[in-house]
Amino acid sequence: MLLIKDINGNEELVTNIKGLERTRQVNGEKTLAFLVVPDESNEHSFGMIDTESIIAFEGEEYIIKQVNEQSNGHKSIKQVEAIHRFFVDMLNCIQLKVHNGSITFANVLEFVFKNTPYSYTIVDPFFAERFENFGRENCLSLFQKILSRYGAEFYVEGYQVYLQREIGQKRDFQYRYGYNTKTLNKEISTKNLATIIRGYGGTPDDEGNYPIEKEYISPNVEKFGEIYADPVVNENLSTVEGMQNHLQKVLIDEPQLSITIDIAEIGEEANEGDYGFVIYEPMNVDIEARVVELKETYDYNLKLIHTAVTLSNLRENATDTMVRIQMTNKTLGELTTPDGDLTLQRRRLMANTNVFMDHLGLHLVNPDDSSKRAFHGSGGSAYFGGMIYIEREDGYAWVEDGIAKFDFNVQTTNPSFTHVDVEARNSWFRTHSTNYVSCDRYRFAHKSRYLKIDISQYVNSGGVCSVAIVDTKTGGILAERSSTNDELYSEEGTYGGTITIDLGVPSNDDLERRDFYFQIKTSDPTKEARCRFNGVWLEG
């Protein structure tokens, strides 16, 4: 059972809880999700399960932010989503003042936490940073900017916030195949691998020279060779030490891994941020990785029964993930889970992406090409320039780079639209005409970029069989293919070859239809030309 407190301060115990799941992430975020089924035992508390009510769980408080109620016979079941109260408290506090200029880590924290119920403890040293127009926002948004600028991580105990360069510990725990793991999914990439990086900081002079110039060379240069990363230019990094730390932090000098494990035996408990070892012989995995997320499932007695652990060596720490916590802006009204457990193939859509929020919603823009962008708001989501990837449960990419990986129908006329000089016999269109004559006509909606046609061709020895695809409306030839194949059972005669026609950008008008003819001719009236259309489809 859970203790619940409503907005009027009334407290009761909630029973008959199903499928409670707690998610803990390295960015400090904690969420709860569970079902409550009404019965006699919770008649007194079922009505209190509403937004803004407080749930107490394992010594921490969570604020209900979403309740979905579904009918089940004469009763209704409530699906509850709640977030740790730290995020709500920080969101509800505003700093109206503005700071400009350099400021120490302690002073900027005081600036943000002054109006909140929380205190803070700085565990590791941090260098001063420069801010412009810092303020006049909710304190959660400002706190996110601090984490990003200083490269800090945090965790919360009660009303005390602890800040470190990196939370968690170096642990000796192992997740090993056949010992304490059920399943394992692994993604690995060297796309962003580099071993050398240069940085330029401070305010440049009139000739564009920066007072801070630093090069960092990874120890892995001996393993992978000299691979240069894009230089870092950041005027806010005004010390050699600060630049050195930043370069070392952002350089991706080893293959990036993302691994999700279902734990069969909990054993020694690992917490978010901890480092341990993953040993999985079937995939030849033996690495040190960091726990970035834990999803814990509890039974109806609130006893832990299952844990899914996501480990990674990705250079995406709490500051990066906090950027995508939509709770930092009230216009969205709810907190959604960041992408701590995304596969690397999906993560690439987020790589090098500018993320910001305004009164409309969340914007994601590729800094190298502003036409590649995505938007999420209360009215829905939109993707431009291929910024969408959809993967099925079995891992197959259904949509990649915004392109659906399935074909669309192309319909033929019935009966065939065949010229008098063309005969359809024994699976071939046949002709002796030296002028193009029609074999068939097709119609389709312009819903994909490419028209694909698989054609088999044959001609008596010494002749040339030519096939054309002709636009019905304009009479222009979209594509043409000639063949001297004189063997009926050759690979070309049996399986043919594929013609690809670029139709241009697909139409948004469902009513737009396009038509084309298949036409055929021979180079010599004494040489019979034949063709067969094995497949016609749209894709891309």
Side-chain angles (χ1 to χ4, degrees):
M1 58 185 66
L2 293 174
L3 179 66
I4 187 171
K5 181 191 295 185
D6 65 17
I7 59 175
N8 297 317
N10 302 311
E11 294 185 359
E12 293 287 352
L13 291 174
V14 179
T15 59
N16 208 9
I17 296 166
K18 308 291 185 182
L20 187 143
E21 183 179 86
R22 177 175 65 177
T23 300
R24 295 187 281 151
Q25 295 187 333
V26 75
N27 66 345
E29 181 188 348
K30 294 180 181 179
T31 62
L32 290 181
F34 56 91
L35 278 170
V36 181
V37 179
D39 62 6
E40 293 181 357
S41 69
N42 59 30
E43 285 180 345
H44 57 292
S45 59
F46 191 77
M48 298 170 63
I49 303 170
D50 203 351
T51 54
E52 298 307 305
S53 290
I54 300 172
I55 296 290
F57 180 70
E58 294 195 348
E60 297 181 301
E61 292 186 336
Y62 296 77
I63 312 299
I64 296 178
K65 284 295 175 181
Q66 184 167 329
V67 178
N68 293 329
E69 196 163 353
Q70 299 178 346
S71 297
N72 184 17
H74 298 293
K75 300 179 180 180
S76 54
I77 298 172
K78 291 184 178 181
Q79 172 71 52
V80 179
E81 295 181 16
I83 64 173
H84 196 282
R85 73 166 308 133
F86 169 79
F87 295 95
V88 179
D89 291 339
M90 294 293 287
L91 178 68
N92 290 338
C93 290
I94 302 294
Q95 173 54 269
L96 297 177
K97 296 182 179 179
V98 174
H99 174 83
N100 289 287
S102 182
I103 189 171
T104 65
F105 192 52
N107 287 342
V108 76
L109 289 174
E110 177 65 22
F111 181 78
V112 170
F113 279 91
K114 184 177 181 179
N115 298 327
T116 76
Y118 294 88
S119 301
Y120 57 88
T121 298
I122 301 173
V123 179
D124 297 321
F126 293 88
F127 297 100
E129 294 287 344
R130 177 175 295 275
F131 287 87
E132 299 295 333
N133 298 317
F134 183 73
R136 291 180 184 165
E137 288 185 82
N138 69 73
C139 292
L140 182 58
S141 178
L142 295 175
F143 184 55
Q144 171 261 307
K145 292 178 180 179
I146 291 174
L147 297 175
S148 179
R149 179 63 59 82
Y150 289 88
E153 296 180 359
F154 77 102
Y155 64 94
V156 180
E157 291 184 353
Y159 284 88
Q160 192 72 23
V161 182
Y162 295 87
L163 294 114
Q164 300 176 227
R165 289 199 174 277
E166 192 173 75
I167 65 170
Q169 303 176 39
K170 296 282 187 176
R171 307 282 292 276
D172 292 329
F173 66 80
Q174 292 184 356
Y175 294 125
R176 191 180 191 106
Y177 171 70
Y179 172 64
N180 62 355
T181 64
K182 291 182 180 179
T183 60
L184 182 147
N185 296 320
K186 183 189 79 168
E187 297 285 346
I188 183 168
S189 172
T190 58
K191 185 176 69 172
N192 298 316
L193 180 70
T195 55
I196 302 174
I197 187 171
R198 290 193 62 85
Y200 303 87
T203 304
D205 58 24
D206 294 338
E207 297 181 355
N209 299 312
Y210 288 85
I212 303 298
E213 293 190 15
K214 182 67 178 176
E215 182 176 79
Y216 171 72
I217 301 177
S218 165
N220 287 342
V221 70
E222 297 181 3
K223 184 176 181 179
F224 299 111
E226 294 185 356
I227 306 173
Y228 286 86
D230 291 338
V232 170
V233 179
N234 190 336
E235 296 183 14
N236 294 309
L237 297 172
S238 56
T239 66
V240 174
E241 295 83 1
M243 177 62 75
Q244 171 76 12
N245 290 333
H246 182 73
L247 294 178
Q248 190 169 350
K249 189 176 185 68
V250 301
L251 182 65
I252 300 172
D253 59 353
E254 60 184 359
Q256 296 177 288
L257 296 127
S258 179
I259 298 170
T260 301
I261 300 171
D262 282 345
I263 304 302
E265 292 183 25
I266 303 302
E268 183 181 6
E269 182 181 2
N271 292 308
E272 54 270 41
D274 287 351
Y275 283 88
F277 293 89
V278 177
I279 301 171
Y280 196 79
E281 289 87 350
M283 289 186 178
N284 196 29
V285 172
D286 186 355
I287 63 160
E288 183 181 43
R290 192 181 190 204
V291 176
V292 296
E293 181 182 86
L294 298 103
K295 287 189 175 181
E296 301 160 313
T297 303
Y298 298 77
D299 64 13
Y300 66 96
N301 287 321
L302 302 186
K303 178 183 177 182
L304 182 63
I305 57 174
H306 174 261
T307 302
V309 180
T310 299
L311 302 100
S312 177
N313 66 348
L314 294 171
R315 294 296 180 86
E316 179 174 74
N317 57 23
T319 65
D320 301 313
T321 313
M322 278 284 289
V323 173
R324 291 189 291 280
I325 293 181
Q326 298 183 17
M327 188 64 181
T328 56
N329 190 307
K330 280 193 174 183
T331 59
L332 286 140
E334 63 181 84
L335 174 68
T336 59
T337 305
D339 62 338
D341 61 348
L342 291 182
T343 63
L344 284 172
Q345 190 171 11
R346 284 173 280 174
R347 279 181 186 275
R348 66 187 180 82
L349 290 177
M350 298 298 296
N352 300 320
T353 300
N354 291 331
V355 181
F356 65 93
M357 301 182 71
D358 58 17
H359 67 288
L360 297 175
L362 177 69
H363 302 259
L364 304 94
V365 183
N366 186 316
D368 299 321
D369 184 355
S370 61
S371 68
K372 296 180 180 293
R373 65 192 191 278
F375 168 79
H376 306 284
S378 60
S381 300
Y383 302 86
F384 306 90
M387 286 281 287
I388 188 170
Y389 174 91
I390 300 177
E391 185 179 282
R392 300 190 321 194
E393 185 178 5
D394 58 10
Y396 176 75
W398 190 46
V399 177
E400 190 169 6
D401 292 329
I403 299 175
K405 297 174 71 175
F406 52 85
D407 57 53
F408 294 87
N409 290 333
V410 179
Q411 296 179 329
T412 184
T413 56
N414 191 9
S416 298
F417 202 92
T418 307
H419 191 274
V420 66
D421 290 333
V422 176
E423 179 187 17
R425 179 165 54 90
N426 294 337
S427 74
W428 292 97
F429 286 113
R430 305 163 181 249
T431 189
H432 288 271
S433 173
T434 55
N435 296 315
Y436 271 129
V437 285
S438 296
C439 303
D440 211 344
R441 178 175 172 174
Y442 283 76
R443 169 170 286 194
F444 62 93
H446 188 186
K447 296 302 179 186
S448 289
R449 180 77 185 246
Y450 301 102
L451 174 64
K452 296 275 191 172
I453 304 165
D454 192 22
I455 300 177
S456 292
Q457 290 173 262
Y458 165 85
V459 68
N460 294 141
S461 180
V464 177
C465 171
S466 297
V467 172
I469 295 88
V470 179
D471 188 292
T472 304
K473 184 176 181 179
T474 66
I477 295 178
L478 299 173
E480 194 171 17
R481 187 173 187 267
S482 297
S483 174
T484 58
N485 172 54
D486 58 1
E487 297 182 18
L488 280 175
Y489 301 106
S490 65
E491 182 172 349
E492 181 178 351
T494 302
Y495 301 107
T498 301
I499 295 176
T500 300
I501 301 173
D502 188 343
L503 300 171
V505 178
S507 170
N508 289 319
D509 185 357
D510 288 339
L511 297 179
E512 181 182 355
R513 305 289 173 176
R514 295 187 63 173
D515 299 72
F516 64 89
Y517 288 109
F518 280 128
Q519 295 188 336
I520 184 174
K521 69 178 181 179
T522 181
S523 60
D524 185 336
T526 65
K527 311 290 185 181
E528 183 182 70
R530 305 181 188 180
C531 70
R532 179 175 61 244
F533 308 115
N534 304 309
V536 184
W537 68 99
L538 295 165
E539 70 176 40

